Amino acid sequence: MNDVREEQIIERAKKGDPGAKALIVEKYERMVYNLGLRLLSNHEEAECVLQDTFLKILQSIDTFKGESQLSTWIYRIATNQALMRLRKKKRQYVSIDGDEEDASKDYSNILRSFHANPLEDLLNTELKDKMRVAIDMLPPKHRSVFVLKDIEGLSLMEISNILDMSLPAVKSNLHRARLFLRENLSEFINGKEE
């Protein structure tokens, strides 16, 4: 969907056109599911975030003012849905049961920085597991900023808008998340370099 076409689809959706609403869901469902999976580390929970997000979006599409991009508005709703679920779970540990191909895509940017040579590819599985556990241990604010920036690749300004958080707060939460992950993964990384 290009911007002009997306604006037309949004207007049609606001008027109740089910086809337009279906196009919005079709375009953004994968993004919402992946975000839910990364924040909650559970396929069933990610499915619930997907359903809750689009239920909310389709019920309130007429309130979308177009002051931000539709994707930013959807990210905000999906992130809030995921954070509400995280708060309910109150630090329960849940592992990701995803297949290796999905996990490899999800963490490829992070893992790339740890690889010094091809032999280290053998450590991918163990490192991904440690990374998932460490990300799961992050407080919700830190986790959401980290996932949106370092995994989803959004800009700091986009994250600020999505989370309704000041830019300095986004930077601070990202810095703390990265420090936490570095500390939790340093023993593994340093142990493998010896």
Side-chain angles (χ1 to χ4, degrees), residues 6 11 22 26 37 41 52 54-55 57 80 84 88 93 97 101 111 132 134 147 155-156 165 193:
E6 186 167 274
E11 287 309 311
E26 185 179 309
L37 184 60
S41 303
D52 293 345
F54 281 107
L55 182 63
I57 287 167
N80 287 337
M84 283 192 300
K88 287 180 186 175
Y93 173 75
D97 292 328
E101 184 176 81
L111 294 174
R132 283 185 210 116
V147 167
S155 72
L156 294 173
M165 188 183 286
E193 290 175 353

Side-chain angles (χ1 to χ4, degrees), residues 114-159:
F114 292 129
H115 292 323
N117 63 54
L119 293 177
E120 290 186 22
D121 287 342
L122 298 174
L123 302 173
N124 270 352
T125 302
E126 190 177 352
L127 179 57
K128 282 185 269 187
D129 290 342
K130 298 251 186 236
M131 178 65 75
R132 283 185 210 116
V133 169
I135 290 171
D136 286 347
M137 291 169 39
L138 285 168
K141 276 194 310 189
H142 298 161
R143 184 186 314 184
S144 59
V145 170
F146 177 79
V147 167
L148 290 171
K149 176 63 178 154
D150 288 347
I151 296 176
E152 294 291 322
L154 299 179
S155 72
L156 294 173
M157 189 56 74
E158 287 173 310
I159 297 167

